Each structure stands twice: as C-alpha cells, then as structure tokens.
Amino acid sequence: MESCAACGKADVSLKSCKACKLVKYCGVDCQVAHRRMHKKACRIKAAELFDAQLFAQPRAREDCPICMRMLPVENDACGYNSCCGKIICAGCNFSLSRTQDRCPFCNAPNVKDEDWKRRLFERIEKYNDPFAINTMGSNYETGHSGFPVDHTKAVEHYERASELGCAVAHYNLGNSYRVGRGVDKDRKKATHHYQIAAMMGNDQARHNLGALEWENGQHVRAMRHFMIAAKFGCHESLKMVKIGFKGGIVMKEDFENTLRCYQASQDEVRSEDRDRAKAAGVG
C-alpha cells in the first residue's frame, strides 16, 4: 500500500510530486517538510522525464494543402493566405500567382500591400488566428508588406501567438531572446522557447537547440538534436551530424540512418514548382 513519503500515512488521499512523480504526499505541509531530503532525487528524475519528452520522436510537419507534399523545414519557404488562413508551400504560391488571380480555397481576389495588411488585421480581429498574429510579428521584424520595422511590436505579437500554440512563434521568440532583438538578451528564455517549438515539430528550433548545446560543450546532447532535425530535412543539422561522425561523437549506424532519413525527407519535400520558386528567389 502506498503511503505519504513524509509522515507515512497510508489511509489518506495522496498526491504525487508534480515534478518527478516518484513520491506521494498527503498534503502540502508534508511535501514542504520532505523537500530537503527529496530535492536532489526530484531534480534528477524531473530532468529525465523532461528529456524523454524533449527527445521523443516529434510529429511530422503538415502537408501543403495544394500539392499534398510535406511543408519545407524553412519557415520562410511557406506562405500565409490572409484571406482564409491557409499555409501553402512557396512552390504552389509561386505557381498560383502566375496562373490565378484568386485564392483556390475561398475564391477571394489576390491582393498586395495595404489590402493584404487589412485582411491580416481582420483575420486577427475576427478569428484570433495565431498564424496571422505570428505573420504580423514577422512583418514588424522584417519591415515586409509595408510594415514599419518595430522589434518590440514583433515580440509582442510572437508572445501572443505562442500563447495560442503557434510553434513558429515560439521559434521566433527564441531567436529574439537569443540575439536580444526587441527584448533583453536571455539565453535561458531562448532555450525555453526553442524547446517548446522543437517538441511541437519545428526543426529550425531543434537545430538551434543543438547549436546552443554545442556552444555549451554538451556535444552528445547537441548531436541528439541535430540528428532529429536532420532526419526531417534540416541541411544545417546534417552538416553538424557529419562533424559529429568525423569526431567520433556519432556512431556509424546512427550516421547512416540519419543520412537515409534525410534523403527520404528531401525526396518528400522536393517538387518542380518548389524548385522553380527557389530558382526565382521565392522560398
């Protein structure tokens, strides 16, 4: 029979330690009293549980709703339709812009600049769409689509979109905190947002986590991140995996498996339209 880790009572309702799940307590007083003895084991187990979640197989990226191929790793290789909120690959976006003057989903006319901005504002006001909010943040950061460059506003929009579950917004926040753009530089907060984005399947955030671990001298942990990102098509991560293999950090079997998965991912995302868009400097 389970009992309270502090007082030993067994005939009462018990609650597990939220951090480690190793022990149970009959109340807050017992948990506080036992904290000093339990703290070290709790931290170790909590770190193990978090790593299990962090390094778990991430969910695959979504498909472009037009060509039905997996969306590219690069966030800027996708386009956001402010009329209906669809996210499509740069290849389809490029192809449609040359052959159609209306959205293939909602039949709204294609617009630019001020009209596009107006639609984006409406999308946010009406639907509180996290991707629209993140897109507005990106435009404030880069000054695209007629937006003024304002890094503070960019971060505000990223924070709002991240609270609504947007992985790209967490990635953008990680970048902002990493370099101190619009906020004070904070490596811990950068890591936090990269971790959330990575667990949600953002491979660029996963790569940046690997880079931070590498800079910290945690080469084995770094390679775990790089291998995951490379398997989903991140070329920069594959470069680092090659370095890890040459340096004896990555085993031959893991290296070969990463190469196979990377090639399969590249085959999945490649298309003639995407190649044409890339050649034209789009995506």
Side-chain angles (χ1 to χ4, degrees):
M1 181 180 292
E2 294 180 329
S3 60
C4 175
C7 68
K9 291 181 179 178
D11 56 346
V12 293
S13 177
L14 301 172
K15 291 186 178 180
S16 298
C17 173
K18 291 182 179 180
C20 68
K21 315 297 182 185
L22 283 175
V23 295
K24 294 185 177 183
Y25 300 102
C26 61
V28 176
D29 291 341
C30 280
Q31 186 171 8
V32 172
H34 193 245
R35 177 62 181 166
R36 181 179 296 179
M37 290 182 287
H38 175 59
K39 183 166 60 175
K40 184 176 181 180
C42 182
R43 286 179 177 176
I44 293 173
K45 185 61 178 180
E48 290 176 356
L49 292 174
F50 180 76
D51 275 0
Q53 184 179 7
L54 179 62
F55 291 107
Q57 182 74 5
R59 64 192 184 200
R61 295 189 302 278
E62 295 182 0
D63 293 337
C64 171
I66 294 178
C67 65
M68 300 308 294
R69 287 184 173 274
M70 187 167 62
L71 291 171
V73 171
E74 300 81 5
N75 297 318
D76 56 2
C78 305
Y80 178 81
N81 284 8
S82 60
C83 50
C84 58
K86 297 291 185 181
I87 298 175
I88 64 176
C89 72
C92 290
N93 203 13
F94 179 69
S95 178
L96 289 171
S97 68
R98 302 174 64 191
T99 59
Q100 297 187 30
D101 59 0
R102 288 184 173 274
C103 174
F105 299 102
C106 65
N107 204 37
N110 295 337
V111 294
K112 296 181 179 180
D113 300 329
E114 291 302 318
D115 288 333
W116 188 88
K117 286 172 63 177
R118 176 183 53 78
R119 280 186 179 174
L120 193 63
F121 277 106
E122 290 175 352
R123 183 82 189 168
I124 293 172
E125 183 175 348
K126 187 174 182 179
Y127 298 105
N128 202 30
D129 184 340
F131 295 100
I133 298 168
N134 177 73
T135 300
M136 184 170 288
S138 295
N139 285 323
Y140 274 122
E141 181 177 332
T142 60
H144 288 170
S145 304
F147 282 79
V149 174
D150 190 327
H151 296 306
T152 301
K153 281 191 175 181
V155 169
E156 290 174 354
H157 282 81
Y158 294 152
E159 288 176 341
R160 180 179 170 188
S162 68
E163 290 171 358
L164 294 170
C166 179
V168 182
H170 280 291
Y171 165 73
N172 288 331
L173 276 175
N175 290 339
S176 297
Y177 279 111
R178 186 179 183 184
V179 301
R181 187 171 53 237
V183 289
D184 293 334
K185 187 181 292 188
D186 191 320
R187 195 181 184 91
K188 186 175 181 179
K189 288 184 179 180
T191 299
H192 170 71
H193 286 289
Y194 284 149
Q195 287 174 337
I196 295 174
M199 287 187 284
M200 295 175 72
N202 188 290
D203 298 303
Q204 286 185 298
R206 176 75 66 179
H207 173 80
N208 287 359
L209 273 179
L212 289 175
E213 294 284 12
W214 185 266
E215 292 169 7
N216 289 335
Q218 300 294 325
H219 295 162
V220 174
R221 286 179 64 85
M223 285 302 150
R224 292 180 70 185
H225 285 302
F226 289 140
M227 284 191 287
I228 292 173
K231 288 176 181 179
F232 281 90
C234 181
H235 185 63
E236 293 303 312
S237 284
L238 183 64
K239 290 181 181 178
M240 293 304 297
V241 174
K242 290 179 179 178
I243 292 173
F245 175 63
K246 291 178 181 178
I249 305 171
V250 176
M251 302 299 291
K252 182 180 179 180
E253 182 179 351
D254 292 330
F255 179 61
E256 292 176 345
N257 182 45
T258 300
L259 285 176
R260 286 193 295 269
C261 292
Y262 172 82
Q263 189 57 54
S265 177
Q266 289 297 298
D267 293 341
E268 171 67 19
V269 300
R270 185 174 292 119
S271 72
E272 291 184 2
D273 283 337
R274 293 183 185 183
D275 289 342
R276 281 193 286 268
K278 189 173 184 179
V282 181

